[in-house]
Amino acid sequence: MNAAPAPSAPDREAVPERVGVLGGGRMGAGIAHAFLLAGAEAAVVERDRTSADAARARILRAVEASIERGTTTLSLETVAPRLHVGEDLDVFAHVGLAIEAVPEDLVTKHEALFAVETVLPAGASLASNTSSLSIDDLAVVLKRPEQFLGLHFFNPVPASLLVEVVTGTATDPRLVAQAQDWVRALRKTPVTVADAPGFASSRLGVTLGLEAIRMLEDGVASAADIDAAMVLGYKHPMGPLRLTDLVGLDVRLGVAEYLADRLGPRFEPPDLLRRLVAEGKLGRKTGQGFYTWDEAQ
């Protein structure tokens, strides 16, 4: 049997030399990890020193995991000096692309995008990692909406092969083509969609997830059996309830409420989802959701 070919070297020319990421949580860390492995410098900004230290450790652990899996030929010694994590937004004055990865709340994202654009150099591009919020709604606080679009990465970023490139009404078509090249350089596949509530992936994914929660609420089957039906019967890599635990029940609730407001009652969140969120059972990040989690999972 022939050995699998070694991963090819990153296409440095296809990604910006310096990329900024606002937010170093699970998604922000994953985005920074992807650009680091593609050869870029990554500047991650967090709200305080404790969060910044945690983000740096999170990103470097992801890089080490990629090295151990053999998905990159780079060494930690090569990658680590290209990672900069801190609390000062002024670092974004030296990036070619900044990506906002803060919580999925319109006001929070407005504040973040306005602050980032204020320090970005004139020729730099700005993106949001929103999974459902309208790009046009987000762009209302920006002076250069033509340089803004959505780059919706999927959780977990290192394993996911998809990025939605979401175009706003004002987005420059040249930026869209450039963003598609960035995604390919990250060894992922771009799917380009027009600005619409939930885009393509979240709208379909939330629909499935909400129905799975209703089935659990109605006693149709256990969480494990509902998930197994989709994994084994439809070849989904993960069942909708386990995926909701990974995404966060609070995140899924927020997206469902937004879609229900924009698209109608078919996206109304089930009572079970509201109750679990009220009880603080948010999935993997709290250790309890539709499943019980521990650090080994």
Side-chain angles (χ1 to χ4, degrees):
M1 181 181 296
N2 294 329
S8 59
D11 183 1
R12 236 322 277 121
E13 296 303 315
V15 295
E17 183 178 354
R18 297 183 183 89
V19 175
V21 181
L22 182 60
R26 187 175 178 88
M27 291 304 299
I31 294 168
H33 164 271
F35 278 98
L36 284 167
L37 294 193
E41 290 187 29
V44 179
V45 174
E46 262 290 357
R47 61 184 179 275
D48 54 46
R49 174 46 52 188
T50 299
S51 299
D53 289 344
R56 179 176 179 81
R58 188 177 297 120
I59 296 165
L60 292 180
R61 282 198 304 271
V63 172
E64 289 179 316
S66 293
I67 294 169
E68 291 170 1
R69 289 194 299 268
T71 55
T72 180
T73 57
L74 300 174
S75 68
L76 187 62
E77 291 73 22
T78 300
V79 175
R82 291 193 275 104
L83 172 63
H84 314 282
V85 186
E87 308 158 66
D88 190 351
L89 276 176
D90 287 347
V91 71
F92 289 169
H94 307 288
V95 304
L97 167 67
I99 302 172
E100 162 274 306
V102 302
E104 194 78 347
D105 173 77
L106 185 62
V107 173
T108 301
K109 287 188 180 291
H110 273 166
E111 293 173 349
L113 291 167
F114 178 82
V116 171
E117 188 191 45
T118 300
V119 299
L120 278 182
S125 302
L126 180 58
S128 173
N129 183 50
T130 180
S131 60
S132 62
L133 299 178
S134 165
I135 296 303
D136 285 349
D137 286 352
L138 292 173
V140 297
V141 300
L142 301 177
K143 293 181 179 179
R144 302 193 300 271
E146 70 279 0
Q147 285 301 108
F148 175 63
L149 81 173
L151 286 177
H152 176 205
F153 288 80
F154 288 75
N155 187 16
V157 177
S160 173
L161 299 178
L162 175 68
V163 178
E164 274 187 311
V165 177
V166 189
T167 64
T169 302
T171 305
D172 189 329
R174 292 171 295 182
L175 175 59
V176 177
Q178 194 173 33
Q180 293 166 342
D181 287 341
W182 295 335
V183 172
R184 294 186 187 101
L186 300 179
R187 298 177 184 158
K188 301 182 188 298
T189 299
V191 173
T192 304
V193 298
D195 189 26
F199 316 136
S201 61
S202 291
R203 187 161 166 177
L204 289 170
V206 168
T207 299
L208 179 61
L210 293 180
E211 188 57 30
I213 296 169
R214 293 187 189 100
M215 291 170 63
L216 182 64
E217 190 174 49
D218 292 344
V220 173
S222 68
D225 284 347
I226 291 169
D227 280 353
M230 299 311 297
V231 172
L232 301 177
Y234 287 85
K235 305 303 181 184
H236 288 200
M238 183 183 302
L241 297 173
R242 187 176 180 86
L243 178 59
T244 298
D245 269 11
L246 286 178
V247 170
L249 275 69
D250 53 335
V251 174
R252 179 131 291 180
L253 175 60
V255 172
E257 289 177 332
Y258 174 77
L259 293 178
D261 179 66
R262 294 301 184 94
L263 298 175
R266 67 185 186 276
F267 288 99
E268 183 63 30
D271 290 340
L272 176 59
L273 178 60
R274 294 189 183 278
R275 177 170 61 79
L276 290 174
V277 171
E279 293 172 355
K281 297 175 180 177
L282 308 182
R284 182 177 181 175
K285 59 189 171 186
T286 61
Q288 183 65 50
F290 297 111
Y291 294 88
T292 299
W293 296 82
D294 57 43
E295 289 301 319
Q297 292 175 295

